[in-house]
Amino acid sequence: MAMTLITKQNRKIVKDALWENNPITLQVLGICSALAVTVQLKTALVMSIALTFVVAMSNVVISSLRNLIPSKIRIIVELSVISTLVILADQVLKAYMYDVSKQLSVFVGLIITNCIVMGRAEAFAMANPPGKSFWDGLGNGLGYSAVLITVAIAREILGSGKIFGFQIVPQAFYDAGYVNNGVMVLAPGAFFLLGIIIWAQRALSPQLSSKDATK
Amino acid sequence: MEHYLSLAVKSMFVENILLAYFLGMCSFLACSKKMETAIGLGLAVTFVLTITTPANWAINHYLLDKGALAWISPALAKVDLSFLSFIAFIAVIATMVQIVELSIDRISPKLYTALGIFLPLIAVNCSILGGSLFMAERKYNFLESVVFGFGAGAGWALAIIAMSAIRSKLKYSNIPESLQGLGITMIITGLMAMGFMCFAGIQL
């Protein structure tokens, strides 16, 4: 059963969202939270899981309701579905990972206004059946996670010499005069890194830069 | 008085909602190409933030917070509805944006045509919900929430207007092909964020 669900078409939906049409680097969606939670790998990972859950589930719910939602009030219906799911995610985090939930502070709540979730609900779930919408949501969630985790790894290594809180840069380096890059812990570091990631992706696949909406 | 002034400066410059907390990035990146658009959106965000933050303060303080329902009857003093804050805040914001839109249309059609297209977009701007969530998390009082809402909005407007000015100059510079567009915009935002960090430590 599980095998038949992952058809070639569904695999393409997921793959598209990961590279060809990545929500952060190409659709320019959901950047707010992507930058704020990436000081440490741990928070970035938790955030990725929460967002992937919300976007996949909201796509399923909204696409199963798509024929019942009157188009005039669809935004408010979408928002209430999404906020219910975010409340679920937030309560689970508070119950099982209280310290991480404290670190993420308002950013779990901000998944509601994360443009990826709204954008996928509007652009994909309103026009496609639940099965396909689930894969689209999953793919976009994973595409978001991929960028988040890359930025978080770079920021944690460069900014504090650690990964998951474990020391990675050996003490000998520090003795020889190596210093952690303080900018990486602060906001500008996140902007620079994301800029560089976007640059690298487009240098690798030049055809992608023609899709840029902000150009 | 001094306390409120310093809170305003803090929310506008030191802890700029866009450059330090990354809120409202999506519309910041998408709408900073033209100066007029940036000014219109900046004004609209400031306006809506100044209204919704105190409105959500009232909702939070009289309905949702732990023990907030005690004013109805002492039996409700133990009720804690704060888990509903996300859905309540976003509903207030969506409604407020609608009300603001309708009343501006009625009072000043000129301003409506200037802001018109941006107002509906604001309901899903993260900085608006972020303002309310920060207000709840930091436990501001009523006046503080007004000042914080205004300061955060003004800071956001400042950042997007500055960005649109930089981008209009950027058209004439020679940027590597694959860095054009989003890439260079991110890097400039990073430089701006570094600039704004100079305000850190200012105390009034």
Side-chain angles (χ1 to χ4, degrees), chain B:
Chain B
M1 191 60 214
E2 252 171 46
H3 169 66
Y4 295 112
L5 205 61
S6 108
L7 180 67
V9 170
K10 197 172 140 195
S11 52
M12 224 181 286
F13 297 106
V14 184
E15 290 180 357
N16 187 297
I17 199 158
L18 180 88
L19 297 168
Y21 291 107
F22 314 99
L23 299 181
M25 278 303 287
C26 313
S27 28
F28 172 78
L29 294 171
C31 301
S32 58
K33 254 179 295 180
K34 274 205 203 112
M35 195 69 156
E36 296 96 71
T37 338
I39 295 175
L41 192 63
L43 285 179
V45 166
T46 315
F47 192 58
V48 173
L49 251 175
T50 319
I51 295 177
T52 54
T53 316
N56 278 333
W57 176 86
I59 299 271
N60 194 42
H61 193 257
Y62 291 112
L63 293 176
L64 301 174
D65 220 2
K66 199 174 179 188
L69 287 170
W71 61 276
I72 297 178
S73 104
L76 293 171
K78 277 184 185 160
V79 180
D80 180 3
L81 292 177
S82 54
F83 68 94
L84 284 176
S85 63
F86 295 161
I87 200 160
F89 286 175
I90 197 75
V92 168
I93 289 167
T95 324
M96 273 301 185
V97 169
Q98 204 90 66
I99 294 174
V100 166
E101 203 182 339
L102 289 176
S103 41
I104 290 184
D105 188 19
R106 184 107 180 103
I107 298 162
S108 158
K110 212 176 162 194
L111 186 65
Y112 181 75
T113 38
L115 297 182
I117 36 167
F118 303 116
L119 278 171
L121 276 178
I122 286 176
V124 286
N125 187 319
C126 342
S127 59
I128 312 284
L129 182 62
S132 293
L133 291 174
F134 274 129
M135 174 274 301
E137 197 186 75
R138 296 174 187 166
K139 303 204 184 329
Y140 285 141
N141 66 29
F142 179 72
L143 258 182
E144 278 172 340
S145 70
V146 177
V147 173
F148 173 73
F150 174 76
W156 196 89
L158 195 70
I160 192 173
I161 292 169
M163 188 64 189
S164 70
I166 297 175
R167 283 184 81 169
S168 64
K169 292 269 176 201
L170 211 63
K171 271 185 235 147
Y172 307 105
S173 36
N174 188 12
I175 304 160
E177 171 74 32
S178 37
L179 191 59
Q180 280 171 18
L182 188 57
I184 191 73
T185 314
M186 292 307 299
I187 289 175
I188 290 173
T189 318
L191 291 172
M192 268 173 75
M194 267 178 128
F196 268 66
M197 275 163 59
C198 302
F199 292 111
I202 292 182
Q203 287 283 323
L204 284 180

Side-chain angles (χ1 to χ4, degrees), chain A residues 58-123:
Chain A
S58 85
N59 260 8
V60 170
V61 174
I62 288 164
S63 102
S64 4
L65 293 173
R66 71 184 187 283
N67 296 326
L68 299 172
I69 302 175
S71 70
K72 270 196 176 155
I73 56 158
R74 66 177 196 286
I75 304 262
I76 205 105
V77 174
E78 284 163 15
L79 272 179
S80 35
V81 169
I82 295 166
S83 17
T84 313
L85 288 164
V86 172
I87 290 176
L88 273 179
D90 184 50
Q91 295 296 318
V92 170
L93 280 185
K94 273 193 183 139
Y96 293 102
M97 309 175 92
Y98 189 70
D99 50 329
V100 178
S101 136
K102 268 272 160 283
Q103 275 178 358
L104 287 171
S105 87
V106 301
F107 291 99
V108 181
L110 285 171
I111 296 179
I112 299 173
T113 49
N114 190 311
C115 335
I116 297 180
V117 187
M118 265 313 253
R120 290 335 284 175
E122 272 281 286

